[in-house]
Amino acid sequence: SGRAGHVEYQRTLGALFAVYWLLRLDGDGKFGLCYGCDEDWNILTEPSGNDCDKKRDFFDNMDWSLLQDLTDHALMNSAERIEAMLCLTAFHDIMKVDALVPRVSRAHAPYHAHDAGDCIHDHDMALAYVLEHHPELMPSFMVLPVGLQRLVLFTQTKLCFNHGWFVQAEGTPGAMLSSLKRVLQGGSGADLAFYFFHWVTDLS
């Protein structure tokens, strides 16, 4: 990503907090998501620091029912799905660490256009490779029920959809949307919501 390690660490913590606050939208979650907390972990009820006007504008004008609906559809008030989301949030960017980038073994080649011996530099695809073929390296993933392991893998490989590319128009529509269209036609709405919930928290 080009960001320093401590910056990526802070982004991961921010995403974990976003999961927590989205689960508390009927309480103090809106304040936490928009304004954060102080050094003593008390949630702020007024904007502070940079971009105060933008923070207040988002708080006042966001259609919070949309985020509540997304949360309900993605997590379904299920402790196991919440656990899966927290696991994914904690490790989803781990393959941005160069020393951890996997190399495709001969037994698994080809893997999504990667030949034997190739390093997988796309961090989402690299994580998917490890989760599929070496899940023992990710203990928090290993303890999830099989159905939720498949759900986490769905977010990494099946969609083949890069939100950043889409928003910034960095690819052709066919390349970006064909897999998403296929999933929408035959996939689970709850699983798709799980993916977009993850994306929202990662963006936060």
Side-chain angles (χ1 to χ4, degrees), residues 124 154-167 173 175-181 183 192 195-196 199:
D124 290 327
F154 169 84
T155 68
Q156 300 302 298
T157 58
K158 192 168 184 180
L159 280 171
C160 299
F161 177 64
N162 188 309
H163 239 298
W165 292 358
F166 179 71
V167 171
M176 290 187 294
L177 300 176
S178 56
S179 296
L180 179 61
K181 180 180 179 181
V183 170
L192 193 61
Y195 166 79
F196 280 110
W199 183 82

Side-chain angles (χ1 to χ4, degrees), residues 46-111:
E46 293 291 335
S48 62
N50 298 325
D51 300 319
C52 287
D53 290 342
K54 291 182 180 180
K55 294 174 185 177
R56 188 182 298 279
D57 183 66
F58 183 86
F59 183 90
D60 291 339
N61 297 304
M62 175 62 193
D63 184 349
W64 291 101
S65 66
L66 295 177
L67 284 179
Q68 186 64 66
D69 288 345
L70 177 63
T71 301
D72 293 342
H73 281 90
L75 303 182
M76 302 170 64
N77 199 29
S78 162
E80 288 186 334
R81 286 179 77 94
I82 293 171
E83 180 182 6
M85 179 59 68
L86 291 171
C87 289
L88 174 60
T89 304
F91 60 57
H92 82 283
D93 276 345
I94 194 171
M95 294 302 162
K96 290 182 179 180
V97 179
D98 289 339
L100 300 179
V101 170
R103 190 183 299 273
V104 178
S105 72
R106 190 177 302 277
H108 305 140
Y111 183 80

Side-chain angles (χ1 to χ4, degrees), residues 12-47:
T12 297
L13 287 182
L16 288 166
F17 269 115
V19 174
Y20 173 75
W21 286 324
L22 285 169
L23 287 166
R24 297 170 60 90
L25 288 178
D26 58 348
D28 55 11
K30 298 174 187 176
F31 290 107
L33 191 67
C34 293
Y35 303 148
C37 56
D38 62 21
E39 293 181 355
D40 295 318
W41 306 106
N42 298 305
I43 291 181
L44 301 174
T45 57
E46 293 291 335

Side-chain angles (χ1 to χ4, degrees), residues 88 91-92 94-95 102 111 124-142 144 149 151-157:
L88 174 60
F91 60 57
H92 82 283
I94 194 171
M95 294 302 162
Y111 183 80
D124 290 327
M125 192 67 66
L127 177 60
Y129 177 80
V130 171
L131 295 181
E132 284 187 49
H133 297 297
H134 301 285
E136 70 280 359
L137 299 177
M138 306 294 286
S140 57
F141 177 77
M142 279 289 289
L144 294 174
Q149 290 182 5
L151 176 59
V152 170
L153 272 171
F154 169 84
T155 68
Q156 300 302 298
T157 58

